[in-house]
Amino acid sequence: MNDRNSESPIIEIRGATRHFGGAWPAVDNIDLDIAEGEFFALLGPSGCGKTTLLRMIAGFENPNEGTIRIDGVDVAGLAPNRRPVNMVFQSYAVFPFMSVFDNIAYGLKVSKVPVSQRRKRVEEALALVRLDGLGQRMPDQISGGQRQRVALARALVKRPRVLLLDEPLSALDAKLRETMQMELVSLQKKVGITFVLVTHDQDEALSMADRIAIMDRGRVRQIADPTTIYESPTSRFVAEFIGKVNLFDAVVKEVLDAEDRIVFEVEGLGELRLPRSRTAGSPMPAASTALAIRPEKIRLSAERPADPIAFEARLEGFAYHGSQSHLHLITEGGGRLSVTSVNSKRKPCESERGKRCFISWDFDDTLILNE
Amino acid sequence: MKKLGQRAKSPLEYGRSAWLRLMLLATFVFLYAPIITLVAYSFNDSRRNIVWRGFTLKYYEKAWNNEGLIEAFVNSLTIAFACTLVATVIGTMAAIALWRFPFPFRRAADATFALPIVIPEICMGVAMLAFFSRIGWPTDLIWPFNLGAITIAHISFSFPFVAVVVRARLASFNRELDEAAHDLGASPWQRFQDILLPHLRPALIAGALLAFTLSLDDFVITFFTSGPNTVTFPVKVYSMVRFSVTPEVNAASTLLIVITLVLTSIALWLQNRGNERHPG
């Protein structure tokens, strides 16, 4: 991190804050480093400040406090067109009165790139987003997915160091979105430019990004790669925001140094012994915390399993979703859990209400959330 | 199965209600019968506009040879063109300023611009007369500068109409288009010219058309601001009609209707062509 020559981040945000006069700042004292060539996602619920942060990088908003450095240069007060970044807007903002070709050429035209070179670069950009031969079409003569590619090509043709994408797939239908997700990732690998993506769609962030920053109320809650974000969330907010989770309030009952175990009293489940290595730091007895378990990590069995974490439960509800089923269970202690079971066999899991069964999971899958 | 024509009327089939059809017919009669009569009697071979006595074009010839009428006609067109040009530019600038920039008293400024639309024309005319005589506006300038006072009066009451039309169009402008152009390196002027102006084009045409027709047929305000040497067409027609309604007046009015219709058609055609190429 201190090696400023080769490994210095392309975007360096320090203490960036932006107030709009709401209950909390739109962007609240954010520190963020984005590495060169990375596919970075800003993920959060609407109103979490992710778009404001993106617009601050683009230059459409200025931070009230803090600094933003792009490629080592402090960009405070620099207009959007003077920053080595380009943006793909949520509405694509394809100019409706210009042909596809003119749209892509616009950025080159206004920055006085010679006509001959302009033509060549636009043709290259068209080929890059697989729109060859559509240059003379007007925006209302192409599909939504194609308009999005025009917006991409128009930004990429300027050869930015960083491409900013503001909810680029939200206007597309579900099937097209999936295709575009893969296409965006392969495009990013091909051009090697840093992509910063803003999205409220966790699936989009998990499947596309190298690293994700989860934001809430103007703050960054966790920055990590998708697997870490999903498998090891550090806070209740992140665990609940990403995917489904069974969450239980818990209290540290005892710390057994000899056995290297911590005993939790979990609401609705009862006593649970976990290895010390599962918890960060050294929990004090009586400290309150939360335990979480993802629905797909829970195993079901008719007989009491040999696993150290196992509870008896009663089936309350059952929902069939085709590729998987969602089961709702109540433990003897009154804790409610949902369990996802993959329907890998033709006959789905048994669905008798009130049926007794056992649930179990591994130590490693138990999430201990401190916030 | 019943035939299509005998099918019971559904609630939304207004067009099949006899009562509504009658209403529509009456409206058209009251709207267009006077105009059709006016045009028809311009070809009437009679000195008085009462009985039809055969077809003639002599009143067109007479109108053409009436120097006072032609002069008024030229004056009206000159004023209308100048007024259209200036009112469209000012109206558009006002609309953009009110839409784009948050400045203090914006709502008050907004209301002030709309004032000339609601103020009775007669008050506006008297105010203009008082204003121009108070500041000692010269009345003995050579043509076309002697039309200055009327033109200024026309601009001041027609530009708010342009502003209203342009404001409405601006409401549908996607600001991300402007930001995208900014992001791609366009200067403020380039952004205005390449992005905003094409979007506003239909409104500019509609606004200009409105200003043109408002100026061309304005009587009240013009009557107060015109002098003996600056008679416009409506004022001239009024003075001619005071003696008698001759077919000559009909002929001149018919020409005015034709000119207005032709210009309106051209403007609408331009507007539609623009809309076909880029809807929304």
Side-chain angles (χ1 to χ4, degrees):
Chain A
M1 220 179 183
N2 292 325
D3 185 4
R4 306 231 62 230
N5 299 321
S6 57
E7 291 298 309
S8 72
I10 183 92
I11 294 176
E12 241 184 301
I13 300 169
R14 290 288 172 273
T17 302
R18 181 78 174 95
H19 305 273
F20 286 122
W24 57 80
V27 168
D28 190 0
N29 194 20
I30 281 181
D31 293 328
L32 194 64
D33 284 337
I34 298 173
E36 175 105 56
E38 194 171 26
F39 199 132
F40 195 89
L42 294 168
L43 175 64
S46 57
C48 72
K50 54 193 191 298
T51 297
T52 306
L53 185 62
L54 192 80
R55 289 172 63 82
M56 292 199 309
I57 299 172
F60 292 114
E61 302 284 350
N62 281 312
N64 297 114
E65 288 157 46
T67 57
I68 297 174
R69 300 170 83 85
I70 301 175
D71 204 13
V73 180
D74 188 342
V75 292
L78 274 187
N81 49 333
R82 305 207 168 277
R83 302 181 180 205
V85 300
N86 280 107
M87 185 143 160
V88 174
F89 291 84
Q90 188 169 9
S91 68
Y92 312 149
V94 171
F95 306 134
F97 352 87
M98 295 182 198
S99 68
V100 168
F101 186 96
D102 291 341
N103 256 284
I104 301 172
Y106 188 75
L108 301 175
K109 193 179 114 192
V110 294
S111 49
K112 303 203 170 55
V113 173
V115 180
S116 55
Q117 224 182 323
R118 218 188 283 171
R119 173 159 285 280
K120 191 167 154 281
R121 277 171 71 175
V122 173
E123 295 295 348
E124 277 171 17
L126 278 169
L128 187 69
V129 297
R130 303 196 290 116
L131 283 178
D132 327 53
L134 295 184
Q136 293 318 309
R137 296 273 187 95
M138 293 304 285
D140 56 355
Q141 296 171 323
I142 58 177
S143 70
Q146 287 171 330
R147 271 200 287 281
Q148 147 128 82
R149 286 161 204 229
V150 173
L152 269 171
R154 188 178 64 182
L156 286 172
V157 82
K158 293 278 286 178
R159 295 177 182 159
R161 299 296 306 275
V162 180
L163 186 72
L164 307 172
L165 303 115
D166 185 9
E167 304 260 11
L169 306 176
S170 61
L172 302 178
D173 61 72
K175 277 229 168 92
L176 191 56
R177 198 179 307 160
E178 210 168 301
T179 327
M180 277 311 290
Q181 282 179 11
M182 297 202 292
E183 216 165 281
L184 266 180
V185 172
S186 66
L187 181 69
Q188 194 259 343
K189 299 298 170 224
K190 196 151 69 179
V191 295
I193 294 172
T194 311
F195 277 30
V196 181
L197 171 86
V198 156
T199 181
H200 66 273
D201 183 340
Q202 40 158 312
D203 186 53
E204 211 167 284
L206 289 173
S207 64
M208 292 165 81
D210 296 323
R211 277 198 311 150
I212 301 171
I214 309 271
M215 289 182 68
D216 176 40
R217 295 191 171 202
R219 288 168 183 268
V220 170
R221 301 301 298 264
Q222 190 172 358
I223 304 176
D225 60 279
T227 319
T228 311
I229 289 274
Y230 185 78
E231 302 287 357
S232 315
T234 53
S235 61
R236 238 172 210 262
F237 176 81
V238 174
E240 282 187 304
F241 186 73
I242 300 278
K244 284 189 175 177
V245 74
N246 296 300
L247 206 78
F248 301 97
D249 288 319
V251 177
V252 178
K253 204 173 170 190
E254 249 182 302
V255 179
L256 305 171
D257 285 319
E259 296 170 48
D260 205 29
R261 287 278 192 275
I262 297 175
V263 184
F264 291 93
E265 180 64 39
V266 186
E267 210 179 294
L269 290 181
E271 211 176 86
L272 198 65
R273 288 166 177 247
L274 290 175
R276 264 193 102 141
S277 55
R278 288 295 306 147
T279 60
S282 47
M284 301 299 286
S288 67
T289 176
L291 293 191
I293 177 77
R294 297 279 185 201
E296 76 280 7
K297 309 282 197 223
I298 302 175
R299 288 184 296 271
L300 286 167
S301 51
E303 307 295 320
R304 177 174 282 277
D307 300 280
I309 306 179
F311 299 97
E312 197 178 345
R314 188 161 44 84
L315 187 65
E316 270 289 297
F318 176 86
Y320 179 67
H321 287 272
S323 64
Q324 50 184 243
S325 295
H326 295 167
L327 291 82
H328 300 280
L329 298 137
I330 291 189
T331 62
E332 287 184 311
R336 290 175 174 273
L337 287 119
S338 82
V339 176
T340 303
S341 86
V342 178
N343 295 328
S344 50
K345 297 203 178 91
R346 251 190 104 88
K347 189 168 172 275
C349 176
E350 305 203 36
S351 56
E352 279 169 58
R353 266 165 177 276
K355 200 190 127 190
R356 306 229 142 241
C357 61
F358 290 91
I359 52 172
S360 60
W361 64 85
D362 295 338
F363 284 141
D364 285 352
D365 293 329
T366 319
L367 308 173
I368 297 161
L369 308 168
N370 294 320
E371 289 171 52
Chain B
M1 200 193 248
K2 279 183 182 175
K3 272 188 184 170
L4 208 68
Q6 293 167 341
R7 170 171 60 92
K9 188 159 60 78
S10 84
L12 285 175
E13 284 181 289
Y14 303 117
R16 291 181 63 205
S17 151
W19 193 81
L20 269 168
R21 281 179 182 178
L22 198 71
M23 190 81 165
L24 191 70
L25 188 72
T27 311
F28 270 102
V29 166
F30 280 107
L31 264 179
Y32 291 110
I35 295 172
I36 292 166
T37 316
L38 173 96
V39 174
Y41 273 87
S42 72
F43 301 107
N44 189 11
D45 193 5
S46 160
R47 271 189 45 74
R48 288 191 296 160
N49 259 337
I50 301 163
V51 205
W52 178 261
R53 291 189 187 252
F55 181 85
T56 181
L57 282 174
K58 78 174 177 202
Y59 290 104
Y60 283 87
E61 199 189 327
K62 214 172 165 191
W64 181 253
N65 290 327
N66 183 338
E67 271 179 37
L69 192 63
I70 293 297
E71 190 195 311
F73 205 77
V74 171
N75 279 349
S76 267
L77 285 177
T78 311
I79 293 166
F81 275 113
C83 163
T84 303
L85 198 70
V86 180
T88 306
V89 172
I90 296 181
T92 306
M93 291 196 319
I96 291 174
L98 285 172
W99 166 77
R100 182 116 167 72
F101 306 108
F103 54 85
F105 310 115
R106 187 161 83 161
R107 292 181 70 92
D110 213 350
T112 316
F113 279 129
L115 218 51
I117 298 177
V118 291
I119 285 189
E121 263 192 277
I122 183 77
C123 304
M124 190 101 167
V126 173
M128 284 289 174
L129 174 67
F131 172 74
F132 282 116
S133 63
R134 182 90 182 86
I135 64 166
W137 186 269
T139 51
D140 49 357
L141 296 169
I142 55 150
W143 194 91
F145 300 103
N146 55 358
L147 303 173
I150 303 176
T151 311
I152 289 170
H154 281 199
I155 292 166
S156 65
F157 80 76
S158 59
F159 93 88
F161 288 90
V162 178
V164 166
V165 174
V166 174
R167 244 353 249 287
R169 181 73 184 163
L170 278 168
S172 68
F173 181 70
N174 175 6
R175 283 184 195 226
E176 283 194 348
L177 290 176
D178 186 57
E179 287 185 339
H182 192 185
D183 188 55
L184 292 168
S187 66
W189 175 249
Q190 281 170 325
R191 277 148 59 198
F192 174 72
Q193 194 188 321
D194 299 341
I195 311 302
L196 192 58
L197 217 49
H199 177 80
L200 292 183
R201 222 179 67 143
L204 294 184
I205 294 169
L209 200 62
L210 207 55
F212 186 82
T213 49
L214 280 171
S215 164
L216 198 61
D217 76 347
D218 180 74
F219 176 77
V220 179
I221 294 173
T222 316
F223 188 72
F224 281 94
T225 41
S226 64
N229 299 320
T230 55
V231 173
T232 69
F233 187 76
V235 175
K236 179 73 184 171
V237 168
Y238 173 72
S239 68
M240 285 166 77
V241 168
R242 275 168 67 188
F243 301 109
S244 70
V245 182
T246 62
E248 199 182 340
V249 174
N250 287 27
S253 304
T254 304
L255 274 181
L256 191 66
I257 291 172
V258 170
I259 290 174
T260 321
L261 282 180
V262 167
L263 286 172
T264 312
S265 308
I266 291 173
L268 287 177
W269 176 71
L270 281 173
Q271 190 172 355
N272 279 339
R273 204 186 54 165
N275 281 352
E276 268 163 36
R277 272 186 57 213
H278 22 74

